[in-house]
Amino acid sequence: MTVNPLLRVQFRVPFDQIRPEHVEPAIAELLTDARAELQAIAAAPGPRTFDNTLGALETATERLEFAMTLVGHLESVATTPELRAAHNAVQGPIAEFFAQIPLDAGLWQALQEFSRTPEAAALTGARKRLLERTLDDFRRQGAELDPAGKARLAELSAELAQITTQYSEHVLDGTNAYELWITDPADLAGLPQSAIDAARAGAEAKGRPSAWRFTLQQPSFAPFVTYADSPKLREEIWRAANICASDGPHDNRELLRRILLLRREQAALLGFRDFADFVLKPRMAKDGASARAFVDRLAARTEAAFAAEARDLHAFRQQLEGPAAPAPAAWDLAYYAEKQRRALYDFDDEALRPYFPVESVLKGLFELVGDLYGVRVEPVDDFATWHPDVRTYAVRDGDALLGVFYADLFPREQKRSGAWMNALVTGRPDGRGGFGPHLGLICGNLTPPIGDRPALLTHDEVETIFHEFGHLLHHLLTRVELRSQAGTNVAWDFVELPSQIMENWCWERAALDRFARHVDTGAPVPDELVSRMLSARNFRAASAMMRQLSFATVDLELHRGSLPATPAEILARAREIMNRFSSAPLPGDYAMVCRFGHLFSSPVAYAAGYYSYKWAEVLDADAFTRFQGQGLFDREVGLAFRRAILERGDSDDPAALFRAFMGRDPDPEALLRRAGLAAA
């Protein structure tokens, strides 16, 4: 075998050279090296210093983390049976290793010894915060457990790593297993031409050029349930999505129960009332009760408007179909809501597609961040990638290279669903007041190009690009000297602020004029269409709010209090909770939690933390008011946000960072005002 490409941190990652057979030997060697580095910290001679204790701990696992990030990433975007097997084989040893770090008596003693030194007492700023957080994390992760407790905690961590990976694989495989084939053109009635063309291209790729293929991938599924006139076919694909991974070879029901049980045992072993309290202690919410109170307050403020929207939608259907028409079923909601939106605002989201060719959207996005943050984004073509569709870009500030990122925007069967950002390399201070470049990536599953026609996006997909790019900026613009505090390594109820605030510009006419240009003529979006879009912005805002709150509530309910004994009872409990937030009854086999990757696709993920999206929305809605007040493209405000938020990572308390930008604490009403629900 040639030199293993996973053995060292490389800014120019040789993605074209990494093979499944590299994974296990590389991880075995890197585990051995990391263990030796940790042992060296515990055995360091002489007095304890920041460099030989906390500083050394910062770097001890860097190569191992880098390799695992690459392997996990490739398994997410270019999986094969061989890569999956190799990835699964190392999950247990990796989880056990990281679980053992805070349980190492020698490391814990070294940290305590350093904390009692004059140097530790004199620490300020980020270094002081690192010491405090590290001591607290070690305690929270079991440093003071007895030997039996430590052994059990390590077992729990290893099993959680294995079964959450298996859960994620089942979701991917279950999603790919479903296909809705249409051969009668009459069954395409109501669908926009973009969805029909994409379905024909999907069928042609499968060797059936005279049919149309629809899948559970979002660019295919969402248009179908929104526009297809056939209630029978809408129901079929909706049910398929919401029972995905709940039976057959991809059944996640028992895995779901086991994950919840292990997390409860983990929390109890560490002295916490429940898993939510364990997870949230270092976050802004601090505990599960506070997170639940936040969610309940938003729900209470939204309920009246939500009930009114449900009544209005039923009445609208009766106007269309007669007074005997029933209330829409769950698979009818998107369909009738879209018709109602058209009737009220004469607005069809599909009318915007021609104005959002992906190249124009990216160009406008890059110009926007250039104006705000003083950076320049430009393509580079000398970085190896994992697929021909992947693009690479450099981000510069004057002559300084801040970083490089990959953009993988379109769906493939070998790629998991959703959209996300990953950090790959965090640059270090260069000794001259600057930093080495950072490396990151963004991935999505947006509407792909068809034939020679460029990818034409929905407005929602444009928001997705802006959102993930906000996460990316948080990483690429970081100026924190300590890797564990840099970029997106912040409290999870704060991490969505840099991403969600970017979505606001997608609703501003002045910003739209930068990137919304007709694919054929280059013309901007007509004033009338923009006006209708803005008028419809808060259409069914209460329903959208309650949908997110349903996810947050079921998350907190499953991770707090008593747990039903069987998988069937857990699904029934989740369905009962989510029914309270649905304007249509959910069917008895509804099993959305079996594919809820945010909560169950990794040992922690967004578990007990899904509320973070709404928590951070309060922050972003409030913070954006400063841009609205001083100028949407104002460099002074942009640089203030860059200095106070994007560059600072976790070097200070997130509440202090927010105050540094806004000059005050967050206004809890900001989100409700933006959604038009402040009076509800």
Side-chain angles (χ1 to χ4, degrees):
M1 188 182 297
T2 57
V3 176
N4 194 314
L6 295 173
L7 287 177
R8 64 187 181 91
V9 177
Q10 304 178 68
F11 187 74
R12 291 183 175 275
V13 182
F15 280 113
D16 54 341
Q17 299 174 26
I18 299 172
R19 302 287 181 266
E21 58 267 25
H22 292 134
V23 175
E24 291 184 73
I27 298 306
E29 181 174 337
L30 292 169
L31 279 170
T32 299
D33 292 349
R35 290 190 184 99
E37 297 233 12
L38 294 176
Q39 290 168 4
I41 296 171
R48 285 287 160 197
T49 66
F50 182 92
D51 289 340
N52 70 19
T53 309
L54 279 173
L57 190 59
E58 277 276 294
T59 61
T61 60
E62 184 176 8
R63 292 166 59 225
L64 178 61
E65 291 176 47
F66 177 73
M68 279 305 298
T69 298
L70 296 187
V71 174
H73 167 66
L74 288 173
E75 210 283 318
S76 294
V77 296
T79 190
T80 64
E82 296 78 14
L83 181 59
R84 176 177 290 186
H87 181 245
N88 289 348
V90 300
Q91 284 294 304
I94 286 289
E96 184 177 2
F97 167 78
F98 281 104
Q100 287 290 345
I101 291 177
L103 308 182
D104 187 305
L107 284 175
W108 180 230
Q109 181 178 344
L111 286 168
Q112 290 178 302
E113 289 175 355
F114 172 67
S115 72
R116 294 189 289 267
T117 64
E119 182 185 1
L123 290 177
T124 59
R127 291 193 169 203
K128 179 181 180 181
R129 181 172 173 80
L130 179 64
L131 175 59
E132 292 171 349
R133 293 295 293 269
T134 303
L135 291 170
D136 184 62
D137 285 346
F138 265 63
R139 292 189 191 97
R140 199 171 63 89
Q141 299 285 354
E144 296 176 336
L145 290 176
D146 61 23
K150 290 181 177 181
R152 180 56 184 153
L153 190 62
E155 292 171 355
L156 292 172
S157 298
E159 186 175 355
L160 275 169
Q162 291 175 327
I163 64 177
T164 53
T165 296
Q166 190 177 0
Y167 176 101
S168 180
E169 292 170 353
H170 283 179
V171 174
L172 175 62
D173 294 344
T175 299
N176 287 337
Y178 178 83
E179 298 172 313
L180 173 62
W181 287 95
I182 289 178
T183 56
D184 184 352
D187 288 334
L188 301 171
L191 287 167
Q193 192 61 45
S194 60
I196 295 171
D197 292 344
R200 173 55 62 88
E204 290 173 348
K206 290 288 186 175
R208 295 180 61 179
S210 60
W212 294 267
R213 174 177 174 263
F214 294 88
T215 72
L216 299 184
Q217 291 175 337
Q218 197 64 12
S220 180
F221 170 81
F224 200 93
V225 295
T226 303
Y227 296 103
D229 287 339
S230 169
K232 176 177 178 292
L233 293 177
R234 284 201 312 271
E235 178 179 357
E236 178 184 331
I237 197 169
W238 186 92
R239 284 184 179 273
N242 287 291
I243 63 169
C244 179
S246 66
D247 63 3
H250 317 302
D251 193 345
N252 270 338
R253 289 175 296 179
E254 177 57 31
L255 290 178
L256 173 64
R257 185 190 73 88
R258 185 67 180 154
I259 291 168
L260 290 168
L261 286 173
L262 293 178
R263 286 172 173 171
R264 284 164 186 266
E265 183 181 353
Q266 183 183 47
L269 187 60
L270 292 165
F272 290 88
R273 179 174 48 196
D274 52 48
F275 187 75
D277 280 3
F278 164 63
V279 166
L280 300 184
K281 186 176 185 293
R283 301 185 187 179
M284 295 183 78
K286 302 305 181 188
D287 56 46
S290 297
R292 183 59 191 270
F294 168 77
V295 170
D296 287 348
R297 283 195 301 271
L298 278 181
R301 295 290 300 277
T302 309
E303 281 175 348
F306 175 60
E309 288 177 0
R311 291 192 300 269
D312 289 347
L313 189 64
H314 185 195
F316 175 76
R317 182 177 187 180
Q318 290 174 319
Q319 291 174 14
L320 294 179
E321 300 173 4
W331 45 87
D332 295 326
L333 291 174
Y335 177 77
Y336 285 104
E338 178 60 22
K339 287 187 174 297
Q340 184 186 26
R341 183 171 70 156
R342 287 196 201 184
L344 289 173
Y345 304 103
D346 190 23
F347 176 68
D348 176 5
D349 197 46
E350 284 293 309
L352 286 172
R353 266 195 200 271
Y355 295 94
F356 294 137
V358 68
E359 299 298 340
S360 178
V361 170
L362 292 173
K363 181 175 181 290
L365 170 60
F366 299 159
E367 289 177 356
L368 170 64
V369 300
D371 284 350
L372 289 175
Y373 307 128
V375 299
R376 186 171 76 257
V377 183
E378 54 194 21
V380 291
D381 58 9
D382 56 346
F383 279 72
T385 66
W386 53 89
H387 190 274
D389 286 349
V390 179
R391 308 147 179 253
T392 51
Y393 299 89
V395 179
R396 303 181 187 277
D397 188 344
D399 294 331
L401 175 64
L402 300 182
V404 170
F405 69 93
Y406 305 86
D408 185 354
L409 301 179
F410 305 117
R412 298 183 295 275
E413 289 191 2
Q414 298 78 23
K415 180 181 178 184
R416 71 174 172 90
S417 61
W420 65 95
M421 170 267 167
N422 270 350
L424 298 177
V425 174
T426 300
R428 288 192 171 88
D430 60 13
R432 303 184 302 276
F435 277 75
H438 310 300
L439 184 69
L441 61 89
I442 53 173
C443 290
N445 283 271
L446 311 177
T447 301
I450 300 172
D452 296 332
R453 194 76 166 161
L456 301 178
L457 308 182
T458 65
H459 186 258
D460 184 64
E461 289 174 328
V462 174
E463 286 188 285
T464 296
I465 291 181
F466 275 59
H467 179 106
E468 298 306 333
F469 199 75
H471 281 311
L472 190 67
L473 288 172
H474 203 186
H475 173 60
L476 296 179
L477 300 186
T478 192
R479 285 297 178 266
V480 179
E481 64 167 318
L482 302 165
R483 184 172 65 96
S484 64
Q485 294 179 327
T488 56
N489 293 316
V490 300
W492 277 34
D493 39 14
F494 188 68
V495 75
E496 297 296 336
L497 167 59
S499 57
Q500 290 179 173
I501 198 171
M502 290 297 299
E503 297 177 29
N504 288 280
W505 278 273
C506 299
W507 294 94
E508 299 289 341
R509 175 72 212 224
L512 287 168
D513 283 344
R514 292 168 171 249
F515 61 83
R517 296 283 172 170
H518 196 281
V519 62
D520 295 323
T521 67
V525 186
D527 290 340
E528 183 184 8
L529 185 53
V530 172
S531 178
R532 295 201 299 268
M533 181 188 81
L534 295 177
S535 297
R537 178 179 186 180
N538 287 330
F539 172 63
R540 292 180 61 82
S543 297
M545 175 80 78
M546 292 297 264
R547 180 176 183 271
Q548 287 296 99
L549 294 178
S550 77
F551 297 153
T553 303
V554 78
D555 171 26
L556 290 168
E557 284 276 319
L558 292 179
H559 288 106
R560 303 176 72 228
S562 60
L563 181 70
T566 68
E569 291 171 328
I570 292 172
L571 261 61
R573 177 67 177 136
R575 185 166 56 250
E576 183 272 326
I577 294 166
M578 299 182 82
N579 244 328
R580 303 201 304 261
F581 297 84
S582 176
S583 55
L586 300 174
D589 61 354
Y590 183 80
M592 179 268 176
V593 290
C594 285
R595 63 176 302 195
F596 203 168
H598 273 75
L599 305 191
F600 303 111
S601 63
S602 78
V604 176
Y606 271 82
Y610 199 90
Y611 76 93
S612 301
Y613 283 104
K614 285 300 171 189
W615 187 286
E617 271 194 66
V618 170
L619 302 180
D620 97 69
D622 194 18
F624 189 64
T625 62
R626 184 172 173 190
F627 288 96
Q628 289 174 308
Q630 293 182 240
L632 290 175
F633 312 111
D634 188 89
R635 177 70 62 84
E636 178 184 350
V637 184
L639 289 179
F641 190 78
R642 175 177 172 178
R643 307 296 185 225
I645 306 293
L646 297 177
E647 292 185 352
R648 295 293 304 281
D650 192 47
S651 60
D652 201 350
D653 183 86
L657 299 181
F658 187 89
R659 284 193 294 271
F661 176 64
M662 289 297 290
R664 56 168 173 76
D665 288 332
D667 176 3
E669 293 291 300
L671 173 60
L672 292 168
R673 284 197 301 271
R674 185 174 69 185
L677 299 171

